[in-house]
Amino acid sequence: MSEKPSADAIALGDSEKSIAPLRYSPDVASEQFRQEVESNRSSLRGRNLTWAIAFVTGTGFTLFGYDQGVMSALLTAGQFEKVFPQVVVGPEQPPNHATLQSLLVAIYELGCLAGALSNLWIGDRLGRRRTIILGGVVMIIGAILQTASYSYSQMLVARVITGLGNGLNTSTVPSYHAECSPAAKRGALIMIEGSLITFGIMWIDFALFWAKGSSAQWRVPIALQIIFALIMIIFINFLPESPRWLLKTGQSARAMAVISDLEDKSIMDPDVQQTFHAIKEAVELEEGTSIDEADGKRHPAGKASLRELFTNGRSQNFRRVALGVVIQCFQQITGINIITYYARDQTILFENLGISDVKSRIIAACNGTEYFLASFIAIALIERVGRRKLMFFGSVGQTITMILLAILGSIDNSAANVISAILLFVFNSFFAVGWLGMTWLYPAEIVGLRMRGPANALSTASNWTFNFLVVMVTGPSFESISWKTYIVFASLNAFIIPCVYFFFPETAGRSLEDMDVIFALAHLEGVSPVAVSLRKDIPAAGTPEADRILGVTNVD
C-alpha cells in the first residue's frame, strides 16, 4: 500500500461501507487472552458502571465548585475577618487590603495552574485513576492546613497546596470520564460535571451567615472539602482504569475487559470489537510509528514529546491542542467570575436596594440555585443540538447581557439596579447552557490519544491562568472604569462567536477515535476540519476505509 491513500481509497461509496467486514482482533483468538479478559471483568457493568463513574467524577467537580464558592463566601464572614484582617476592605482600611483580598482568592488559581502543568510529566505515567487519587490526597492536605490556619501567610500557602491537588484533578477527571463514556452519552455525562461545579457553590454564603459565634464559622466549611475528597479517593478504587490508557501502556486484556464491561457485552460482540480495534489502532499508529512530513514515510515514534504538540500532518496536533487551550481561555474571558468569585457583591447590591440582610443573602443563594438548574438544559441538549450551537447560544446571550449591564450601570438608579440584579440570573443561565461544562468536555474530545494527557494539562492550565488574571483584574477594573468593565467583557464575548464558527469542529456523536479520522481527512483534502466534522459520510474509526484515511498499513 502507498504511504498516501488515493482519492478513490478515501471517498468510498455507501455500499462499500455497509458491507465492510468486521475485523476481529487476532488477540481474541487466543484462549489465554480470553481467560485473562474474564479475570479482569468487573461486577459493575453497563449502566451501573457508567453511573458509578459519573458519581465519582462528579464528586471531584463538586469538590472543585465547593472550594471556589467557599472562599468567596468566607471573605465577608465576621470570624474570618477577625483572624485575617488583611481581607477587610473599606474606606477606613489600608488601600492595599483590596489587593491582599484578591490575592487570597487568586493565589488558589496559581496552585491549580502548577498542578495542571505537572500533569505534563506525571499524568501518562501514573494513569488516570492514580493521578486523581494523588490530586485528592494533596487537596486533603491543603484543606487541613487551611482549616488550621491562624495567619494570612499560612492561609496563602495552604491555598496554593489545595490548588495543586485541584489542578491535577481538573486536568484528569474530564479525560478519564470521556475515555470511559460511550460517544452517544459522553456529552451529557460530562456536562453533569459542570452542573456539579455550581452545586458546590450554592447556599454557602447563606449557611455561613448564621454561624457567628466562633471560628467554626469558617473552619468547618473549609474542612468539609475533606469529605468530598475522601469519597472520590475511596470509590475510584472500585472503578476501572481508562481503556485508552490501558491499551496505551500495553495492557490489552484489561482494556478489553473494561470495554466489554462498559458495553455490558461479550468480547466477541461487534461493537466491542470495533471499539477495541479503533483504540488499539490509534495506539499503534501514534505510539509505534509516525509519518515524517518531509519524506512522507513512517518512522518509529517512541514516547510522546512536548515538541509534538507543535506538529501538524494527519494528526493535526497543534491545531487540536490549540483548540483545547483556547476554549478554556474563552470560558474565563466571558466574565463569569465577576459573578462567581465576587458573589458577595450580589448581596451588597441587594442590600442597597433596601432588601434586608437575610433576604439579600437568600436572593443571592437563589441565584446560585438557578445557575445550577439552568445547567440541566445543557445536559438535555448537548447530544441533540451539538457542541457548536450551544457555544453560539451562550456567547450571543452573554454578549447582550453584558451590553445591558453596561447601559444600566451608566444610569445607576434604583430601577436600573433592580434590572441589573435580574440580569445576573440571566447571564448565569446563558453561561450554564453554553460554556459551563463545555470547556471540560471539548478538550478531552478534540485531541488524539497520544497528545491527550499533555494537551489536557495545557488546556486546564489555560483555564487557571485566565481565571487568575480575571480575578486579579476585576476588582481594580471596577474601581477604575466602573460600569465600563462590562463593555470590555461584552466585546470579548462577541469576539468568541466568529471564532467558534470558523475554527471549532463539531464532536457530537463521534467516538474519540473518530476525531482522528476527521482531522486526517481534512488534512488530506486540504479543507477545514469544521466542514469535515459536519459531514455525514465520515467512516467510523476501526473500519477499513478509516484505516486508509489514517494511513494504517495493515488494512485487509
Side-chain angles (χ1 to χ4, degrees):
M1 176 180 168
S2 62
E3 291 299 322
K4 186 170 183 177
S6 65
D8 292 338
I10 296 171
L12 296 173
D14 290 339
S15 60
E16 184 173 346
K17 290 180 193 177
S18 63
I19 62 173
L22 175 68
R23 289 171 299 154
Y24 288 93
S25 170
D27 293 333
V28 177
S30 166
E31 184 62 30
Q32 181 180 353
F33 179 81
R34 295 188 194 185
Q35 290 176 357
E36 190 176 350
V37 169
E38 289 302 320
S39 68
N40 283 286
R41 302 265 330 240
S42 169
S43 57
L44 279 173
R45 298 181 186 180
R47 181 179 297 181
N48 290 338
L49 178 56
T50 297
W51 284 111
I53 293 171
F55 170 75
V56 173
T57 55
T59 301
F61 266 62
T62 302
L63 174 60
F64 164 30
Y66 183 88
D67 198 63
Q68 281 188 313
V70 74
M71 184 51 64
S72 65
L74 290 178
L75 291 173
T76 52
Q79 291 295 326
F80 190 81
E81 291 178 338
K82 186 181 293 185
V83 179
F84 307 103
Q86 297 89 343
V87 305
V88 181
V89 178
E92 300 179 358
Q93 302 299 326
N96 70 328
H97 274 211
T99 302
L100 292 175
Q101 186 191 77
S102 294
L103 179 62
L104 187 65
V105 175
I107 201 166
Y108 171 73
E109 271 71 54
L110 293 182
C112 292
L113 171 62
L117 288 175
S118 67
N119 241 349
L120 288 168
W121 295 277
I122 69 174
D124 279 339
R125 293 183 181 181
L126 293 180
R128 313 304 190 227
R129 288 196 315 159
R130 284 184 289 182
T131 301
I132 293 170
I133 291 171
L134 175 62
V137 169
V138 174
M139 287 196 77
I140 288 174
I141 294 171
I144 292 171
L145 292 175
Q146 285 188 74
T147 304
S149 291
Y150 280 94
S151 69
Y152 179 80
S153 57
Q154 183 183 355
M155 179 61 81
L156 286 179
V157 173
R159 292 278 290 164
V160 171
I161 293 172
T162 308
L164 283 170
N166 192 53
L168 283 169
N169 285 342
T170 52
S171 59
T172 307
V173 169
S175 293
Y176 172 68
H177 202 177
E179 291 180 344
C180 293
S181 300
K185 299 179 181 177
R186 184 176 61 240
L189 289 170
I190 297 181
M191 281 294 181
I192 293 174
E193 292 177 9
S195 297
L196 291 172
I197 296 175
T198 66
F199 179 75
I201 295 172
M202 294 191 311
W203 293 92
I204 295 175
D205 185 50
F206 182 69
L208 292 177
F209 175 70
W210 302 100
K212 300 178 179 179
S214 71
S215 62
Q217 184 186 35
W218 63 271
R219 296 189 193 276
V220 171
I222 288 179
L224 286 176
Q225 298 174 68
I226 298 172
I227 296 176
F228 292 113
L230 284 173
I231 291 172
M232 181 180 67
I233 291 170
I234 292 170
F235 282 97
I236 200 169
N237 285 287
F238 297 96
L239 299 179
E241 180 56 88
S242 157
R244 270 85 178 177
W245 185 82
L246 289 171
L247 271 169
K248 191 175 182 179
T249 53
Q251 302 177 66
S252 298
R254 288 184 63 193
M256 177 64 91
V258 175
I259 293 169
S260 57
D261 285 343
L262 288 168
E263 296 279 353
D264 195 15
K265 296 176 181 177
S266 162
I267 65 173
M268 300 302 293
D269 183 87
D271 292 336
V272 172
Q273 282 292 313
Q274 181 165 320
T275 301
F276 179 81
H277 179 80
I279 300 172
K280 187 176 182 181
E281 195 167 79
V283 170
E284 292 172 349
L285 187 66
E286 296 181 342
E287 296 292 338
T289 61
S290 63
I291 296 178
D292 188 330
E293 294 300 318
D295 60 15
K297 296 181 179 179
R298 292 194 171 277
H299 303 280
K303 293 183 178 180
S305 65
L306 295 183
R307 184 174 59 183
E308 290 180 56
L309 292 170
F310 302 98
T311 61
N312 284 303
R314 297 188 205 213
S315 62
Q316 295 286 285
N317 285 335
F318 179 73
R319 181 192 292 265
R320 298 165 78 174
V321 172
L323 287 171
V325 170
V326 168
I327 196 172
Q328 290 277 23
C329 162
F330 282 174
Q331 185 194 58
Q332 295 306 312
I333 65 174
T334 60
I336 184 60
N337 280 330
I338 294 177
I339 298 170
T340 302
Y341 277 116
Y342 294 93
R344 62 191 182 280
D345 294 333
Q346 298 175 40
T347 303
I348 295 171
L349 172 61
F350 299 138
E351 289 175 353
N352 290 338
L353 297 176
I355 301 172
S356 70
D357 198 24
V358 174
K359 289 181 179 178
S360 66
R361 282 171 166 76
I362 292 175
I363 296 173
C366 287
N367 191 0
T369 304
E370 186 274 337
Y371 187 18
F372 171 64
L373 295 176
S375 65
F376 282 88
I377 299 173
I379 297 172
L381 295 179
I382 186 68
E383 297 299 349
R384 295 181 183 181
V385 305
R387 284 50 163 164
R388 284 164 52 87
K389 290 180 181 178
L390 287 186
M391 286 190 272
F392 285 136
F393 175 80
S395 296
V396 171
Q398 288 158 195
T399 301
I400 294 172
T401 306
M402 284 292 182
I403 292 172
L404 293 175
L405 284 168
I407 294 172
L408 294 167
S410 67
I411 297 173
D412 193 22
N413 59 32
S414 180
N417 287 341
V418 170
I419 300 173
S420 294
I422 295 171
L423 287 176
L424 297 179
F425 287 74
V426 173
F427 186 91
N428 274 351
S429 298
F430 281 116
F431 181 84
V433 174
W435 289 92
L436 175 61
M438 190 70 68
T439 50
W440 303 106
L441 166 66
Y442 199 82
E445 293 184 314
I446 202 68
V447 182
L449 178 61
R450 182 172 175 83
M451 292 289 107
R452 190 168 295 136
N456 276 283
L458 289 175
S459 65
T460 307
S462 170
N463 183 289
W464 293 115
T465 299
F466 285 93
N467 198 323
F468 173 80
L469 292 175
V470 170
V471 170
M472 288 300 294
V473 166
T474 296
S477 177
F478 273 107
E479 279 189 25
S480 301
I481 61 176
S482 186
W483 57 268
K484 295 177 183 176
T485 301
Y486 293 119
I487 297 178
V488 174
F489 284 106
S491 302
L492 291 171
N493 277 284
F495 171 73
I496 291 172
I497 297 169
C499 291
V500 171
Y501 181 82
F502 288 109
F503 300 112
F504 284 75
E506 182 58 70
T507 60
R510 308 284 188 182
S511 74
L512 300 181
E513 288 67 39
D514 284 343
M515 298 310 299
D516 295 333
V517 179
I518 286 172
F519 279 94
L521 184 57
H523 171 71
L524 293 170
E525 293 184 350
V527 298
S528 167
V530 175
V532 176
S533 72
L534 299 175
R535 285 163 49 179
K536 303 297 184 183
D537 63 338
I538 307 302
T543 60
E545 50 271 37
D547 291 344
R548 296 186 182 99
I549 293 170
L550 293 168
V552 178
T553 56
N554 61 334
V555 179
D556 294 336

